[in-house]
Short mmCIF file of all heavy atoms in Angstrom, two decimals:
data_model
loop_
_atom_site.label_atom_id
_atom_site.label_comp_id
_atom_site.label_asym_id
_atom_site.label_seq_id
_atom_site.Cartn_x
_atom_site.Cartn_y
_atom_site.Cartn_z
N MET I 529 107.46 117.38 101.55
CA MET I 529 107.17 116.00 101.21
C MET I 529 107.31 115.84 99.69
O MET I 529 106.72 116.57 98.93
CB MET I 529 105.75 115.67 101.68
CG MET I 529 105.33 114.25 101.39
SD MET I 529 103.65 113.84 101.98
CE MET I 529 104.02 113.27 103.60
N GLU I 531 107.04 114.00 95.86
CA GLU I 531 105.91 113.39 95.15
C GLU I 531 105.86 111.90 95.45
O GLU I 531 104.79 111.33 95.61
CB GLU I 531 106.05 113.62 93.64
CG GLU I 531 104.86 113.08 92.88
CD GLU I 531 104.98 113.26 91.37
OE1 GLU I 531 106.00 113.80 90.90
OE2 GLU I 531 104.05 112.85 90.69
N ASP I 533 106.75 110.44 98.25
CA ASP I 533 106.18 110.28 99.58
C ASP I 533 104.67 110.53 99.57
O ASP I 533 103.91 109.86 100.26
CB ASP I 533 106.85 111.22 100.58
CG ASP I 533 108.31 110.85 100.81
OD1 ASP I 533 108.65 109.65 100.69
OD2 ASP I 533 109.12 111.76 101.11
N GLY I 540 98.70 104.45 101.40
CA GLY I 540 98.84 103.94 102.76
C GLY I 540 100.11 103.16 102.99
O GLY I 540 100.17 102.31 103.87
N THR I 542 104.00 102.78 104.11
CA THR I 542 105.01 103.42 104.95
C THR I 542 106.31 102.66 104.76
O THR I 542 106.38 101.46 104.99
CB THR I 542 104.61 103.37 106.44
OG1 THR I 542 104.31 102.01 106.80
CG2 THR I 542 103.39 104.24 106.72
N ALA I 555 109.17 93.53 97.24
CA ALA I 555 108.56 92.28 97.71
C ALA I 555 107.10 92.52 98.09
O ALA I 555 106.22 91.71 97.77
CB ALA I 555 109.35 91.73 98.89
N ALA I 584 77.98 96.23 72.46
CA ALA I 584 78.03 97.34 71.49
C ALA I 584 78.12 96.80 70.07
O ALA I 584 77.48 97.34 69.15
CB ALA I 584 79.21 98.26 71.80
N ALA I 589 75.47 95.65 64.87
CA ALA I 589 75.06 94.68 63.85
C ALA I 589 73.55 94.75 63.61
O ALA I 589 73.09 94.69 62.46
CB ALA I 589 75.47 93.27 64.25
N HIS I 593 72.48 95.68 59.95
CA HIS I 593 71.96 94.56 59.15
C HIS I 593 70.52 94.17 59.50
O HIS I 593 70.00 93.23 58.91
CB HIS I 593 72.84 93.32 59.34
CG HIS I 593 74.25 93.55 58.94
ND1 HIS I 593 74.64 93.72 57.64
CD2 HIS I 593 75.39 93.65 59.67
CE1 HIS I 593 75.96 93.91 57.58
NE2 HIS I 593 76.42 93.87 58.81
N ALA I 601 73.73 108.23 60.74
CA ALA I 601 74.32 108.89 61.92
C ALA I 601 74.31 107.95 63.13
O ALA I 601 75.27 107.92 63.91
CB ALA I 601 73.56 110.18 62.23
N ILE I 610 81.66 101.15 69.83
CA ILE I 610 82.46 99.92 69.79
C ILE I 610 83.93 100.25 70.06
O ILE I 610 84.59 99.58 70.86
CB ILE I 610 82.30 99.20 68.43
CG1 ILE I 610 80.89 98.64 68.29
CG2 ILE I 610 83.34 98.10 68.27
CD1 ILE I 610 80.57 98.11 66.91
N ALA I 627 100.67 94.01 85.55
CA ALA I 627 100.77 93.32 86.84
C ALA I 627 101.52 91.99 86.68
O ALA I 627 102.38 91.66 87.50
CB ALA I 627 99.37 93.08 87.42
N LEU I 647 119.51 100.82 96.53
CA LEU I 647 118.44 99.94 96.10
C LEU I 647 117.11 100.27 96.79
O LEU I 647 116.05 100.15 96.18
CB LEU I 647 118.79 98.48 96.35
CG LEU I 647 119.93 97.89 95.52
CD1 LEU I 647 120.12 96.43 95.85
CD2 LEU I 647 119.67 98.08 94.04
N VAL I 660 100.63 103.62 91.35
CA VAL I 660 99.98 104.81 90.80
C VAL I 660 99.62 104.58 89.34
O VAL I 660 98.53 104.94 88.89
CB VAL I 660 100.88 106.06 90.96
CG1 VAL I 660 100.31 107.25 90.22
CG2 VAL I 660 101.06 106.39 92.43
N THR I 687 105.97 95.94 80.04
CA THR I 687 105.25 94.69 79.81
C THR I 687 106.05 93.71 78.96
O THR I 687 105.53 92.69 78.53
CB THR I 687 103.88 94.95 79.14
OG1 THR I 687 104.08 95.67 77.93
CG2 THR I 687 102.96 95.74 80.06
N ALA I 695 115.94 90.72 84.43
CA ALA I 695 116.20 91.61 85.56
C ALA I 695 117.36 91.08 86.39
O ALA I 695 117.44 89.90 86.70
CB ALA I 695 114.95 91.74 86.42
N TRP I 705 114.49 100.57 85.42
CA TRP I 705 113.11 100.19 85.66
C TRP I 705 112.32 101.37 86.26
O TRP I 705 111.21 101.68 85.82
CB TRP I 705 113.07 98.98 86.58
CG TRP I 705 111.73 98.32 86.76
CD1 TRP I 705 110.59 98.56 86.06
CD2 TRP I 705 111.40 97.32 87.71
NE1 TRP I 705 109.57 97.77 86.52
CE2 TRP I 705 110.05 96.98 87.53
CE3 TRP I 705 112.13 96.64 88.69
CZ2 TRP I 705 109.40 96.02 88.30
CZ3 TRP I 705 111.48 95.69 89.44
CH2 TRP I 705 110.15 95.38 89.26
N GLU I 710 108.35 105.79 85.70
CA GLU I 710 108.05 107.22 85.78
C GLU I 710 107.73 107.82 84.42
O GLU I 710 106.83 108.67 84.31
CB GLU I 710 109.19 107.95 86.48
CG GLU I 710 109.26 107.59 87.96
CD GLU I 710 110.57 107.95 88.62
OE1 GLU I 710 111.51 108.41 87.94
OE2 GLU I 710 110.67 107.75 89.86
N ALA I 714 104.14 109.45 83.40
CA ALA I 714 104.06 110.82 82.86
C ALA I 714 103.32 110.84 81.53
O ALA I 714 102.47 111.71 81.29
CB ALA I 714 105.46 111.41 82.70
#
Side-chain angles (χ1 to χ4, degrees):
M529 181 179 270
E531 183 181 2
D533 293 331
T542 54
H593 301 290
I610 291 171
L647 293 182
V660 172
T687 57
W705 189 10
E710 291 163 355

